[in-house]
């Protein structure tokens, strides 16, 4: 079925169909063709092409556009552009001043939605034994609690005004990585995430101390069952390989074994009482030597020795370089310069592993400001940014298929949901992992679904099409420019305008009002095409 073409200079007044006029799959073919054509070669015989038509953008100046510097900071240090983010940057005095306010999140007034999120699901604030009891009774199976936590995190990223805190929370949860569906972690995984948020802007040493001995980490990497009689090497190895110094630091298999032996004693009575304890009779008391760290480790209570060991690893130059490189790859580019990494590592060591000075050094470095357009959004980043751009909002759950949890699953449809990566190295952050045709087709599917407001719907509010009009009537070209500014921070392009006109068969100069076909039933085409632009995928 093709859309109704309004007469030149008039609006389509036929009532919209009761169901979407374009099935999702037929839309994907049509909008993909429109997107590809507009972004690669000119359309030679578009149905609306006339000699008098021009696809030159027409500015809608009442809706502001972001400067290059504003847009760069918003893309890298928030979960996607929205007018409120631009207003916050300007109210703070500019990009760098805004970033500084974000480093003190306790002084940033939180949004009402984010402030009330802890009450949305009982599991978010429940203690581990309550989570276990609810799983055993069937009241809230473990997998539902984990899905709720993922939905909770997605809404926090979308709604929080403390965007840098949320980004750094995600960064550390991905660094000290524990998949939410890993065997036996469910009683403790939510508390682990809360702890990472509490410490996200403190110091790496504090984060390392908390993450390494946390029962969620113990269950995930089997340290909860490691004893002096049967030492499990998983946590001892990943502590060195993934969490601190990295493979290139020069440790050997004996160091891995010593690392694992030192970590014995931390217990979780898994699949029974789930009680957490430290048992000195489980602790291996042989001396340890790892990368220049030596300890007699003669006390059956080895916790003091573990604290000394973790402090040593946190302040090791190889750890400094590894954390610096990882931060630079996440927030600058896939191939940061050695000069930037060395600078960040030096700041890290000079400031006792404190996080804030390193982030300031990163943002103040010329390489950060020269890196615009160098990073691609991950699927979870994109899903949150689409909801922010479209103004989709979620409410406190009234059913199991609530919108916030469905958003978590929708990110999985794009390529990966939160903490679904199965390995302990965490989800990939380099562009090649996500820059593929299949990912973009999946993204277009999500854009279409959300632009039409068809899913999710439970406890979910989508902006009515008529409310997207900034004034009672304006030309299609002006309306496209307004939407582009509002959803991406940048004005329309000739390619975008041509794609919209091709898909809707409406001329750029056509007047658009609440009765026009664009508003009544073609809005999903327009919104999806704005989201399908390559610039929207940039982080």
């Amino acid at each position: 079925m093709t859309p109704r073409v309004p007469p030149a200079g008039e609006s389509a007044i036929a009532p919209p169909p009761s169901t979407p006029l374009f099935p999702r799959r037929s839309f994907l073919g049509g909008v993909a063709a429109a997107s590809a054509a507009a972004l690669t070669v000119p359309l030679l015989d578009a149905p609306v092409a006339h000699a008098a038509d021009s696809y030159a953008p027409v500015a809608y100046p009442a809706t502001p556009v972001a400067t290059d510097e504003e847009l760069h900071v918003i893309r890298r240090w928030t979960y996607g552009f929205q007018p409120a983010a631009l207003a916050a940057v300007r109210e703070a005095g500019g990009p760098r001043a805004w970033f500084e306010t974000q480093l003190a999140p306790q002084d940033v007034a939180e949004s009402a939605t984010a402030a009330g999120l802890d009450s949305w699901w009982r599991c978010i604030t429940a203690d581990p034994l309550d989570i276990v009891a609810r799983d055993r009774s069937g009241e809230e199976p473990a997998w539902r609690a984990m899905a709720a936590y993922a939905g909770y995190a997605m809404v926090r990223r979308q709604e929080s005004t403390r965007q840098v805190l949320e980004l750094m929370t995600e960064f550390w949860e991905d660094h000290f990585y524990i998949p939410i569906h890993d065997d036996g972690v469910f009683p403790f995984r939510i508390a682990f995430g809360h702890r990472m948020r509490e410490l996200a802007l403190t110091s790496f040493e504090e984060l390392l101390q908390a993450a390494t001995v946390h029962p969620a980490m113990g269950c995930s990497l089997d340290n909860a069952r490691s004893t002096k009689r049967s030492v499990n090497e998983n946590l001892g190895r990943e502590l060195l390989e993934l969490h601190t110094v990295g493979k290139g630091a020069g440790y050997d298999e004996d160091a891995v074994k010593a690392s694992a032996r030192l970590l014995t004693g931390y217990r979780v009575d898994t699949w029974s009482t789930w009680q957490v304890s430290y048992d000195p009779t489980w602790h291996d008391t042989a001396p340890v030597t790892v990368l220049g760290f030596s300890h007699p480790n003669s006390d059956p209570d080895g916790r003091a020795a573990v604290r000394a060991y973790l402090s040593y690893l946190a302040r090791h130059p190889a750890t400094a370089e590894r954390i610096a490189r990882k931060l630079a790859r996440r927030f600058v580019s896939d191939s940061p310069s050695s000069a930037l990494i060395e600078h960040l590592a030096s700041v890290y060591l000079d400031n006792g592993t404190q996080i804030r000075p390193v982030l300031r050094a990163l943002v103040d470095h010329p390489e950060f400001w020269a890196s615009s357009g160098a990073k691609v959004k991950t699927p979870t980043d994109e899903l949150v940014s689409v909801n922010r751009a479209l103004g989709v909002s979620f409410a406190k759950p009234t059913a199991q298929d609530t919108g916030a949890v469905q958003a978590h699953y929708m990110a999985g449809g794009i390529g990966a949901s939160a903490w679904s990566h199965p390995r302990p190295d965490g989800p990939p952050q380099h562009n090649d992992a996500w820059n593929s045709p299949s990912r973009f087709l999946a993204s277009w599917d999500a854009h279409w679904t959300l632009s039409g407001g068809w899913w999710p719907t439970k406890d979910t509010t989508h902006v009515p099409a008529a409310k997207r009009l900034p004034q009672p009537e304006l030309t299609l070209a002006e309306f496209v420019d307004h939407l582009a500014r509002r959803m991406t921070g940048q004005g329309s392009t000739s390619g975008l305008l041509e794609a919209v006109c091709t898909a809707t068969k409406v001329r750029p100069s056509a007047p658009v009002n609440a009765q026009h076909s664009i508003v009544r039933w073609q809005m999903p085409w327009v919104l999806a095409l704005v989201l399908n632009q390559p610039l929207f995928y940039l982080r």
Side-chain angles (χ1 to χ4, degrees), residues 63 242 311 332 377 447 484 524:
T63 303
L242 299 179
S311 180
V332 180
K377 293 173 183 174
H447 296 172

Side-chain angles (χ1 to χ4, degrees), residues 203-267:
S203 72
F204 182 75
E205 180 173 348
E206 290 180 83
L207 283 155
L208 182 65
Q209 297 276 4
T212 304
V213 302
H214 198 282
M217 188 67 73
C219 291
S220 179
L221 293 178
D222 303 307
N223 198 59
R225 296 185 294 275
S226 183
T227 76
K228 62 185 179 183
R229 296 180 182 86
S230 180
V231 178
N232 187 291
E233 296 180 12
N234 287 350
L235 181 56
R237 184 183 303 276
E238 306 305 1
L239 173 61
L240 295 169
E241 180 178 328
L242 299 179
H243 299 166
T244 59
V245 294
K247 285 183 177 180
Y251 60 86
D252 57 16
E253 189 64 20
D254 287 340
V256 170
K257 292 177 180 178
S259 179
R261 287 192 291 105
L262 188 58
L263 291 167
T264 53
Y266 295 92
R267 290 194 59 185

